[in-house]
Amino acid sequence: MSCCESPSNHEKLNAWVKEIASLTEPDSIYWCDGTKAEYDEMVQSLIDAGLATPLKKRPNSYLFRSDPSDVARVESRTYIASKSKDDAGPTNNWIDPKELKKEMTALYKGCMHGRTMYVIPFSMGPIGSPIAKIGVELTDSPYVVINMHIMARVGVKVLEVLGAKGEFIPCLHSIGKPLLSCQDDNGKWPCAPIDKKYIAHFPEEKTIWSYGSGYGGNALLGKKCLALRIASVAAKSEGWLAEHMLILKITRESDNKVKYIAAAFPSACGKTNLAMLVPTIKGWKVETVGDDIAWMRPGKDGKLYAINPEAGFFGVAPGTSMDSNPNAMHSIEENTIFTNVALTEDGDVWWEQIGYDAPGKLIDWHGKEWVQDKSNKDQAPAAHGNSRFTAPAKQCPVIAPEFEELAGVPIDAILFGGRRPSTIPLVHQAKNWNHGVFMGSIVGSEITAAALDLKVGDVRRDPFAMLPFCGYHMGDYFKHWIEVGKKIPEAGRPKIFFVNWFRKKDGKFAWPGYGENSRVLKWIFEQCDGSGKSVDTPIGLMPDPANFDKPDSVSEDTLKEILSVDVEGWKKEIADIKQNHYPKFGNKLPKELQEELAAIEKRLG
Ligand code: O2Y
Ligand code: MN
């Protein structure tokens, strides 16, 4: 592996690579070609450095343990550096771009000493898709390179599409740990201390600078940074939507009719599980197009077309089991990178709620011996709560062939959801597009464990599940959704739904969730198909419990309860939105959303 000469004739790209190399002073520069041989060589160097452990039980799979300070996205160190603070809005960390560049340039100076700077040309979306975007990540982390190989389309083909003049999004990344001569990482995950970590976005320049973290969304810059924060800004000016949404395909096998559904949920609501759902009802099939991000554009035929810009899954390991998500378990049987899970004696991985007890002595995510003690409820977990698998999407047994479709798939329904133990019914449908935008704007999850400044039972709002990922003012974002709706003719406009798998009754979940959610998808399919039956209520259209395909495990009374309008609960909900949620967006809150709020209030009486 050695490729110091640029294989590209793109002058701007070559000049940028040169400029960054003279700032960061790497020992060498390597242009990634995206081949398996390159991946294997890089993995071998990580094994030799004591940073990767090959897993005997899973072919071509490796375990990494990160530094305990580098285990998740760090929102407090994530910045939107737009010229004006108002453009970033009240829900983003804003910083003056000039000030930030000065500060970060000082950190980048010489930060790649003793390391190689890798140049990763990547495509978010199938290469050549009119909806795809090209990025180039410069990084000093071979761990980032191998993860990017899985999560994006990487290599020479991307440079071919880029040509000499194509547009690309520059993404600069350093782990922020230069090496002195004769030093190495000594088998320890390199990163910078928390107060030196920066995940910075410059929306006007469409540029990303990340420093100090080697983990996940902080370092794999195609994902949250490019495909959501920067893409959301591009989408606003270009008239499309960059969303934190899974995409699934559902087929009614009796007539082979298909619907495509995009769905947004805040973190920890089972997005990957829904994307790979195994229906419990006969005659229905679900396939996966994406599990985290959707880019959606109005098409010439009046429909809204979506692609999954990613090529892999960066999924949370704990809780993933053959019961909760068999398709995810099959997706990670080989060619998978595991980060911060536990290692078994026979060279396999283990995590909490994997579906079976720890098989003997483990090595936990800290690298220490760990023996399961079921009598100790306070035992520290063997796998970190945010431990991850990185796996190619094409390994998913139910990946839809349309995953590679350049034009994307026509979206029939858009779902919003959250963890709401009370008030919000199992499913309800928006009366129209703006009512659907209202639904997206009030998404949130109830707080279940006390957080520093939040009360248990309060709702933490996460509009459109985009609060950490929108690169501009959320008030402008709501307005953009309303404008996109106007561009799609009524007949092609996706129908919008709100789902809640997490209603509780007597302290227990009232709905079984997982595969049983196919019953809700079936109703949604039929609503889109025109064959569904619904009742009109003050909050929207709902299934009639008498006609709903109910699982045996749910009593008729419970079904009635979770498919009814809790008028008092909704009045409190409306009051909370009015007093605590909507005022956050000031005069940028679209009047259409105020009107939707007033209309529901009136309908509730
Ligand atoms: O902790 C991280 O760095 C990853 S965050 C993440 C990863 C995959 C999909 N979604 C998310 C998220 O936070 O929404
Ligand atoms: Mn996500």
Side-chain angles (χ1 to χ4, degrees):
M1 152 178 107
S2 165
C3 177
C4 296
E5 284 304 305
S6 168
S8 168
N9 60 352
H10 196 295
E11 274 176 29
K12 205 172 137 203
L13 169 60
N14 290 334
W16 176 62
V17 171
K18 226 168 152 184
E19 178 203 327
I20 298 302
S22 75
L23 172 66
T24 57
E25 300 170 2
D27 285 7
S28 56
I29 300 173
Y30 176 82
W31 287 73
C32 297
D33 61 14
T35 57
K36 165 110 175 51
E38 172 177 285
Y39 182 94
D40 290 344
E41 265 187 74
M42 223 159 284
V43 163
Q44 192 54 52
S45 73
L46 285 158
I47 295 170
D48 296 344
L51 293 163
T53 306
L55 295 167
K56 288 192 205 101
K57 288 287 168 118
R58 295 182 193 240
N60 193 30
S61 298
Y62 307 93
L63 167 66
F64 288 81
R65 290 186 201 102
S66 78
D67 185 272
S69 72
D70 204 24
V71 291
R73 289 188 295 105
V74 269
E75 284 177 25
S76 62
R77 307 296 304 170
T78 300
Y79 296 93
I80 301 296
S82 47
K83 285 183 187 146
S84 139
K85 184 173 182 186
D86 196 44
D87 286 345
T91 55
N92 279 311
N93 289 325
W94 177 82
I95 190 164
D96 176 69
K98 279 201 192 122
E99 202 183 293
L100 182 61
K101 280 205 168 168
K102 199 169 152 206
E103 207 161 318
M104 290 188 75
T105 302
L107 291 171
Y108 281 129
K109 184 78 197 128
C111 72
M112 294 192 189
H113 274 187
R115 302 192 185 274
T116 297
M117 182 173 86
Y118 301 96
V119 184
I120 316 172
F122 64 95
S123 174
M124 296 311 288
I127 295 174
S129 159
I131 312 181
K133 297 253 179 222
I134 288 176
V136 179
E137 179 160 351
L138 306 184
T139 180
D140 50 5
S141 163
Y143 169 85
V144 165
V145 177
I146 58 170
N147 275 272
M148 286 293 286
H149 262 237
I150 296 175
M151 294 305 296
R153 281 96 171 163
V154 165
V156 279
K157 272 203 191 131
V158 178
L159 288 180
E160 276 164 33
V161 172
L162 189 62
K165 295 258 179 281
E167 234 185 79
F168 70 94
I169 296 166
C171 308
L172 169 56
H173 172 252
S174 171
I175 48 175
K177 192 91 198 241
L179 292 168
L180 303 174
S181 51
C182 305
Q183 220 183 13
D184 64 25
D185 286 319
N186 216 3
K188 287 216 171 84
W189 174 277
C191 63
I194 185 86
D195 61 329
K196 293 279 182 298
K197 291 189 209 289
Y198 287 90
I199 298 95
H201 308 75
F202 302 91
E204 284 98 357
E205 293 173 42
K206 298 204 172 57
T207 296
I208 300 159
W209 283 13
S210 169
Y211 183 90
S213 167
Y215 194 86
N218 306 324
L220 313 177
L221 300 186
K223 192 172 177 61
K224 302 296 187 181
C225 298
L226 191 159
L228 288 176
R229 296 193 193 98
I230 292 296
S232 63
V233 174
K236 181 171 168 278
S237 60
E238 294 164 13
W240 54 283
L241 300 166
E243 299 302 324
H244 189 202
M245 288 182 178
L246 65 91
I247 309 168
L248 66 82
K249 172 186 179 185
I250 178 162
T251 305
R252 180 167 63 195
E253 290 173 324
S254 59
D255 57 3
N256 271 326
K257 265 202 175 175
V258 163
K259 303 284 173 210
Y260 297 98
I261 299 176
F265 297 84
S267 305
C269 287
K271 241 165 98 194
T272 303
N273 295 348
L274 180 62
M276 300 178 187
L277 173 143
V278 180
T280 49
I281 45 175
K282 283 220 171 75
W284 293 82
K285 188 165 83 178
V286 167
E287 290 162 278
T288 312
V289 181
D291 80 327
D292 195 40
I293 300 177
W295 285 357
M296 305 192 286
R297 255 180 212 272
K300 289 200 178 83
D301 62 355
K303 292 180 182 168
L304 185 65
Y305 281 84
I307 61 164
N308 167 12
E310 302 192 275
F313 308 123
F314 188 61
V316 183
T320 306
S321 70
M322 286 306 282
D323 281 335
S324 68
N325 193 339
N327 287 317
M329 292 299 278
H330 291 306
S331 304
I332 60 178
E333 282 168 359
E334 54 186 351
N335 309 316
T336 298
I337 299 166
F338 294 91
T339 307
N340 289 340
V341 301
L343 178 68
T344 67
E345 277 176 314
D346 61 353
D348 201 0
V349 286
W350 189 86
W351 48 76
E352 279 67 25
Q353 286 94 47
I354 195 173
Y356 50 88
D357 288 344
K361 223 187 293 166
L362 305 182
I363 306 293
D364 72 7
W365 73 276
H366 291 287
K368 300 243 163 65
E369 254 187 31
W370 189 94
V371 178
Q372 190 168 29
D373 176 2
K374 286 172 50 181
S375 69
N376 176 6
K377 287 208 175 66
D378 297 325
Q379 186 178 27
H384 187 275
N386 193 40
S387 53
R388 298 274 166 174
F389 53 78
T390 318
K394 60 179 187 311
Q395 287 183 189
C396 178
V398 294
I399 193 76
E402 295 90 329
F403 161 69
E404 298 282 4
E405 175 61 56
L406 300 188
V409 296
I411 296 295
D412 298 284
I414 293 173
L415 274 46
F416 296 110
R419 278 181 182 266
R420 298 297 307 267
S422 64
T423 312
I424 311 294
L426 178 63
V427 58
H428 65 296
Q429 181 185 346
K431 291 170 187 277
N432 54 51
W433 182 268
N434 283 2
H435 181 203
V437 177
F438 168 80
M439 284 178 170
S441 78
I442 66 163
V443 164
S445 278
E446 217 147 297
I447 292 149
T448 47
L452 281 183
D453 50 351
L454 297 161
K455 265 201 343 256
V456 173
D458 278 359
V459 177
R460 191 199 300 253
R461 303 274 171 201
D462 182 1
F464 289 77
M466 278 292 277
L467 212 59
F469 306 120
C470 182
Y472 62 99
H473 197 300
M474 279 306 274
D476 290 331
Y477 169 91
F478 298 153
K479 184 72 187 159
H480 178 54
W481 261 81
I482 291 166
E483 293 307 316
V484 169
K486 288 182 194 160
K487 280 199 210 150
I488 314 168
E490 166 103 55
R493 237 177 260 161
K495 300 198 180 336
I496 302 181
F497 300 81
F498 205 111
V499 296
N500 179 21
W501 323 132
F502 301 98
R503 262 298 273 271
K504 283 195 170 165
K505 195 181 173 186
D506 307 326
K508 293 199 181 110
F509 286 114
W511 178 254
Y514 300 104
E516 298 289 27
N517 293 336
S518 54
R519 297 170 192 274
V520 176
L521 297 184
K522 174 185 166 194
W523 182 76
I524 290 169
F525 181 111
E526 288 166 355
Q527 286 299 100
C528 295
D529 190 45
S531 61
K533 286 199 183 85
S534 62
V535 280
D536 199 2
T537 81
I539 60 164
L541 306 174
M542 284 168 74
D544 176 352
N547 298 323
F548 192 76
D549 194 346
K550 181 187 83 60
D552 291 341
S553 62
V554 176
S555 73
E556 275 173 23
D557 280 354
T558 300
L559 187 72
K560 261 191 210 149
E561 195 175 319
I562 64 179
L563 284 179
S564 64
V565 182
D566 170 2
V567 174
E568 289 316 306
W570 270 95
K571 284 186 178 172
K572 283 192 197 136
E573 182 82 12
I574 298 296
D576 179 54
I577 296 164
K578 242 183 182 172
Q579 283 156 25
N580 305 316
H581 182 47
Y582 272 4
K584 285 181 270 191
F585 309 106
N587 60 9
K588 292 233 184 191
L589 184 79
K591 69 169 186 348
E592 291 86 344
L593 293 188
Q594 294 281 20
E595 285 163 8
E596 288 300 325
L597 184 70
I600 295 196
E601 197 172 17
K602 196 167 161 211
R603 290 197 298 263
L604 285 167

